[in-house]
Amino acid sequence: MTALTRVRNWLAAKRRFEFVATVAMVVALTAVGGALVLLPKSALHVRPVPATADAAVPSAPADPQLPELRRAMESYAPVVTRQVCAADGRLSVVLGHPYQRDDVDALAGDVGAAVAAVTQLWGTDWARDAVIAVASDPAEFAALTHDTGEVSDQIAAASVSDPFVPPAQPTGQRIVFSAAAGRRLGPEGLRETLRHELTHVAARAVTVDGSPQWVLEGFAEYSAHRGSGRTFAQLAPTLTAKARTGALPADLPADDAFVPTPGNDAELAYEQGWSANAYVAARFGEPKLVELYRHLATGPQDASALDTALHSTLGIGHTDFVARWRDWIKARASA
């Protein structure tokens, strides 16, 4: 047998072996596949893939306002988006422009905890998600908040797309931050402002325009600062300074005190509103605070209506409430 013949015989044997091995593998794989098809579903253990911060959420439909909101923002500059998936499948979305990526990322990082904190205080009867936009300039801020007046210097605002009257559900709810919000507020201020505005979103379905501002803004401020660990003096520095000189509020702040105009200390009004709500929470408990909000956020309240709401909720009238609130301020300002 020549060397050439031996090589040919070896190659032929090798091909027969490869053919037999291939047939055997096909048969084995076919058998395994058939067994898997017949296996009950209960016997299959599939490890679920955890949702990430930017994951799509099949169980939560996209907010119907998002396409329109994106188009409106794209008329000012290209848009970047972060989607935040909660453990319960609810989806929050943060939109901004490429040069605002830091603010977009910061808000996306805070929104999950903010939704949880607001829900813990207010309850579960709201959407429990958020649509947040960071505007590029005052003109875009006005457009996104549906503000038809003069261009304002606001840092943030909660807005709805269409007028409504409770108990109808508001539509197109969104929180809009100004282009300067991150720079002016810093991380902590941005986080607390998000919670403040998100509280307005949560309570909007039961809130009638014209309700007392010390209730609306004071409650949102209480929600924003809740659990921060900061002292009374840190949260209400102007109110503290006045109280230490004996200048305690004569009454709850009027609505026009919250308007930032020359000669008007709106910051003090916000601190007074926060302190009135903080007093109720400290003295009567947070469920009573939420109940009081629901009583007083039903529209304008005259002296008689206010007195009735305080009596029915807290068991004290307007005069007693103010006296006890003043004592509470004085005790904390002097601590």
Side-chain angles (χ1 to χ4, degrees), residues 192-212:
E192 291 184 347
T193 302
L194 173 60
R195 294 190 184 198
H196 176 110
E197 299 301 339
L198 195 59
T199 303
H200 286 313
V201 169
R204 190 67 176 110
V206 302
T207 303
V208 177
D209 292 341
S211 300

Side-chain angles (χ1 to χ4, degrees), residues 55-268:
V57 185
S59 61
D63 192 302
Q65 70 171 304
L66 286 175
E68 178 187 352
L69 177 59
R70 175 180 282 277
R71 283 193 298 271
M73 295 183 70
E74 284 175 344
S75 68
Y76 291 88
V79 174
V80 296
T81 305
R82 282 286 307 273
Q83 296 182 349
V84 183
C85 175
D88 61 3
R90 286 178 167 81
L91 186 68
S92 294
V93 182
V94 185
L95 303 95
H97 303 291
Y99 47 88
Q100 298 167 319
R101 188 77 205 203
D102 287 348
D103 287 351
V104 170
D105 288 344
L107 290 165
D110 289 337
V111 69
V115 168
V118 171
T119 300
Q120 187 182 52
L121 174 63
W122 179 256
T124 59
D125 60 337
W126 67 292
R128 285 174 280 161
D129 56 27
V131 174
I132 305 166
V134 184
S136 60
D137 57 28
E140 184 180 6
F141 183 91
L144 298 181
T145 57
H146 310 288
D147 188 352
T148 58
E150 295 182 5
V151 175
S152 70
D153 191 36
Q154 283 181 273
I155 286 292
S159 178
V160 294
S161 60
D162 298 303
F164 78 104
V165 177
Q169 289 296 316
T171 59
Q173 291 200 94
R174 66 186 66 155
I175 298 169
V176 184
F177 284 86
S178 74
R183 174 176 51 81
R184 290 173 59 180
L185 294 172
E188 185 176 23
L190 199 66
R191 185 180 308 114
E192 291 184 347
T193 302
L194 173 60
R195 294 190 184 198
H196 176 110
E197 299 301 339
L198 195 59
T199 303
H200 286 313
V201 169
R204 190 67 176 110
V206 302
T207 303
V208 177
D209 292 341
S211 300
Q213 289 296 297
W214 73 266
V215 175
L216 307 188
E217 296 301 331
F219 182 78
E221 281 290 276
Y222 173 78
S223 178
H225 300 311
R226 178 174 172 266
S228 69
R230 291 194 283 163
T231 65
F232 183 93
Q234 290 171 327
L235 292 173
T238 306
L239 180 59
T240 299
K242 285 184 171 294
R244 286 174 178 171
T245 66
L248 293 165
D251 203 346
L252 294 160
D255 289 353
D256 57 8
F258 289 84
V259 181
T261 57
N264 196 23
D265 195 348
E267 184 176 349
L268 175 61

Side-chain angles (χ1 to χ4, degrees), residues 254-289:
D255 289 353
D256 57 8
F258 289 84
V259 181
T261 57
N264 196 23
D265 195 348
E267 184 176 349
L268 175 61
Y270 273 87
E271 291 180 10
Q272 290 174 342
W274 164 79
S275 68
N277 283 263
Y279 162 67
V280 174
R283 173 64 180 82
F284 301 94
E286 288 183 340
K288 282 294 183 183
L289 173 61

Side-chain angles (χ1 to χ4, degrees), residues 14-32:
K14 184 174 183 294
R15 290 191 188 99
R16 285 194 298 273
F17 173 77
E18 290 175 345
F19 174 78
V20 172
T22 300
V23 170
M25 184 177 294
V26 169
V27 171
L29 290 174
T30 302
V32 171

